Amino acid sequence: MIILYFMVLLISLVSALALRNYSVGKISVLGIDGLSVISVLPMEESELNDIMNSLTKEPDLKKIIVDKKPELAYIMPSDFFLMAIVTDIERLYPLEFEKPVASNPFIRFLKIFINYTKMQIGIYHDSHSLKRIILVSVKDREGRPLHGPLIFSFGSRRFPLLHVDIDKESDSIISIQNVKPRHKWGDAPMPIF
């Protein structure tokens, strides 16, 4: 029985590592101006370059980026469902998106899930008009910065530094805000790739 237990444990671990490697291999990481850029939105490389170049045209933001030295930039809609995996800032949903319909947490979750699904397939009537860029520091255990494929290394530590909201149509910067160096669930490990 003990041998069976360890065999199942080993198979589970190997399967989990294989799935992780497969997932990481499917992520498109683009190197732009010393940053590793990952977009949650489906975007062409030229579009990503334009967005990242618009950041460096803003003198105040350029200075912040030089001072904080981020290694990674996530580009996502400001109403992205899984934003809390990366940072502790709130999503910018329309007001009624998460409005409680009952005291039952399951019903509330179901409503959020349905609204999120509608938003993803384009039938939610009021999607948010901003793109959000979250700049993140990625370091190894000794505090050395990681770039490119190394940002997914085991033991790497990620700390959000700031987020920038950009108008979806004009690509003009709407706001720049520093964030706490943690995600919504504190120190709990999160699958942030």
Side-chain angles (χ1 to χ4, degrees):
M1 196 63 161
I2 293 175
I3 293 173
L4 181 61
Y5 169 77
F6 282 108
M7 283 181 63
V8 168
L9 189 64
L10 181 64
I11 290 168
S12 300
L13 184 62
V14 169
S15 300
L17 290 173
L19 283 171
R20 182 190 188 279
N21 287 338
Y22 174 78
S23 299
V24 166
K26 291 293 182 184
I27 297 171
S28 175
V29 181
L30 189 63
I32 302 174
D33 293 333
L35 280 171
S36 300
V37 179
I38 298 173
S39 179
V40 172
L41 297 162
M43 301 173 94
E44 297 292 325
E45 188 172 326
S46 59
E47 218 178 333
L48 288 171
N49 274 306
D50 290 345
I51 289 171
M52 297 310 293
N53 287 334
S54 71
L55 295 188
T56 56
K57 287 179 188 166
E58 173 68 39
D60 292 339
L61 181 56
K62 186 174 183 177
K63 182 182 182 321
I64 292 169
I65 291 173
V66 168
D67 289 345
K68 290 188 177 276
K69 299 180 179 65
E71 287 79 37
L72 173 61
Y74 287 105
I75 301 176
M76 58 185 68
S78 59
D79 50 9
F80 185 53
F81 192 64
L82 299 175
M83 188 177 297
I85 288 176
V86 181
T87 183
D88 69 346
I89 56 178
E90 293 296 329
R91 304 180 297 263
L92 296 178
Y93 285 137
L95 287 175
E96 73 277 9
F97 195 97
E98 293 189 14
K99 187 176 178 183
V101 291
S103 59
N104 185 328
F106 177 75
I107 293 173
R108 183 169 185 266
F109 172 79
L110 195 59
K111 179 183 182 218
I112 294 170
F113 180 75
I114 289 168
N115 284 341
Y116 172 70
T117 304
K118 286 159 99 176
M119 184 184 69
Q120 290 302 306
I121 60 177
I123 61 173
Y124 192 75
H125 62 89
D126 190 18
S127 62
H128 211 272
S129 60
L130 300 176
K131 293 175 194 161
R132 175 162 286 166
I133 300 170
I134 300 178
L135 296 166
V136 179
S137 169
V138 186
K139 308 278 195 247
D140 67 10
R141 289 178 183 153
E142 284 77 41
R144 294 176 297 224
L146 298 174
H147 298 276
L150 294 176
I151 60 174
F152 301 119
S153 301
F154 282 107
S156 61
R157 303 175 72 203
R158 296 170 181 82
F159 302 101
L161 302 171
L162 69 146
H163 77 82
V164 181
D165 285 335
I166 295 180
D167 182 84
K168 199 183 286 186
E169 301 303 320
S170 66
D171 277 346
S172 58
I173 295 173
I174 304 295
S175 74
I176 303 166
Q177 291 187 351
N178 289 314
V179 295
K180 295 175 187 169
R182 46 176 271 152
H183 55 68
K184 198 76 166 177
W185 290 281
D187 297 327
M190 301 302 292
I192 55 177
F193 53 85

